[in-house]
């Protein structure tokens, strides 16, 4: 069974630009989660999508947004990039409903903002 | 506020030297406690879920246990390939989808 996939692997942008990161969940999973892992800060929850709807977001500014498509894949958009947005962005997926406990992570997208 | 604290931050062991990693947590209604392994530059790899105090799970050289306030990850006779950062996370019954992670313990096992 294929795991969570993310693209691109690496992304280099300059301040003020926009970045788009993509995630495909494990087959059969309907929930997608996004986390940011910045150096020294640990994993911080960004967003949760389930059945196409945004269910919850973490303490991040509105320039972090995303969506989930009908095939359950997801996109994270970061507008007006700042230097401190440089981090590893991790996507995870889980089954929906009451079975949605374990989250399985993808390999991440390394975003560098210059 | 829900919180997870892991100790020690770093641990160096000789091959075969058993030890334990600690995860202390505060959560309003524990839905699950999770252990992950993360290699440098990669995504976390799921290891275990624990749901209630007294529960234990095992996988190869790893054994996870849970009490009402903390969890331990016991590593028996570790090998160099067990070197990684081990992350502990909790999820509350408020079902926000959010996993709250500790800062991790970086384990180095020397041959």
């Amino acid at each position: 069974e294929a795991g969570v996939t993310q693209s691109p692997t690496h992304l280099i942008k300059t301040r003020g630009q926009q970045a788009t990161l993509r995630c495909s969940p494990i087959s059969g999973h309907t929930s997608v989660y996004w986390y940011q892992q910045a150096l020294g800060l640990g994993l911080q929850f960004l967003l949760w999508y389930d059945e196409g709807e945004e269910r919850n977001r973490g303490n991040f500014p509105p320039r972090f947004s995303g969506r989930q498509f009908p095939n359950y894949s997801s996109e994270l958009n970061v507008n007006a990039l700042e230097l401190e947005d440089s981090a590893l962005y991790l996507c995870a997926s889980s089954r929906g409903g009451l079975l949605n406990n374990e989250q399985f992570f993808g390999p991440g997208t390394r975003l560098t903002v210059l | 506020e829900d919180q997870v604290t892991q100790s020690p931050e770093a641990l160096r062991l000789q091959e075969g030297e058993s030890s334990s990693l600690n995860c202390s947590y505060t959560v309003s209604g524990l839905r699950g406690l999770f252990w992950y392994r993360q290699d440098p530059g990669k995504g976390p790899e799921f290891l275990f879920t624990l749901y209630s105090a007294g529960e234990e799970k095992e996988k190869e050289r790893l054994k996870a246990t849970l009490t009402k306030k903390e969890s331990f990850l016991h590593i028996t006779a570790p090998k160099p390939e067990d070197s990684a950062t081990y992350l502990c996370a909790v999820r509350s019954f408020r079902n926000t989808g959010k996993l709250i992670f500790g800062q991790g313990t970086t384990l180095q096992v020397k041959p």
Side-chain angles (χ1 to χ4, degrees), chain A residues 27-75:
Chain A
S27 177
H29 286 190
T30 60
S31 278
V32 169
Y33 312 81
W34 288 95
Y35 292 83
Q36 181 195 67
Q37 189 174 32
L39 205 60
L41 289 181
L43 274 92
Q44 304 291 320
F45 170 76
L46 265 166
L47 289 158
W48 172 29
Y49 292 96
D50 182 57
E51 297 284 356
E53 302 275 336
E54 181 181 302
R55 301 295 184 185
N56 193 25
R57 65 180 293 128
N59 294 328
F60 282 85
R63 58 192 186 81
F64 287 83
S65 65
R67 53 181 170 165
Q68 187 178 32
F69 300 99
N71 67 353
Y72 304 113
S73 67
S74 177
E75 200 172 84

Side-chain angles (χ1 to χ4, degrees), chain A residues 1-111:
Chain A
E1 181 183 273
V4 176
T5 58
Q6 293 186 244
S7 64
T9 306
H10 294 92
L11 191 56
I12 300 175
K13 295 284 185 178
T14 55
R15 277 174 54 188
Q17 285 189 313
Q18 179 196 29
T20 299
L21 288 63
R22 297 182 176 82
C23 171
S24 290
I26 292 170
S27 177
H29 286 190
T30 60
S31 278
V32 169
Y33 312 81
W34 288 95
Y35 292 83
Q36 181 195 67
Q37 189 174 32
L39 205 60
L41 289 181
L43 274 92
Q44 304 291 320
F45 170 76
L46 265 166
L47 289 158
W48 172 29
Y49 292 96
D50 182 57
E51 297 284 356
E53 302 275 336
E54 181 181 302
R55 301 295 184 185
N56 193 25
R57 65 180 293 128
N59 294 328
F60 282 85
R63 58 192 186 81
F64 287 83
S65 65
R67 53 181 170 165
Q68 187 178 32
F69 300 99
N71 67 353
Y72 304 113
S73 67
S74 177
E75 200 172 84
L76 174 69
N77 294 293
V78 188
N79 293 319
L81 284 164
E82 300 180 1
L83 296 177
E84 52 264 34
D85 296 333
S86 295
L88 183 66
Y89 288 84
L90 293 160
C91 171
S93 74
S94 75
R95 297 182 187 279
L98 294 174
L99 299 174
N100 70 349
N101 229 6
E102 284 86 6
Q103 296 181 17
F104 297 90
F105 284 84
T109 292
R110 171 72 62 185
L111 173 64

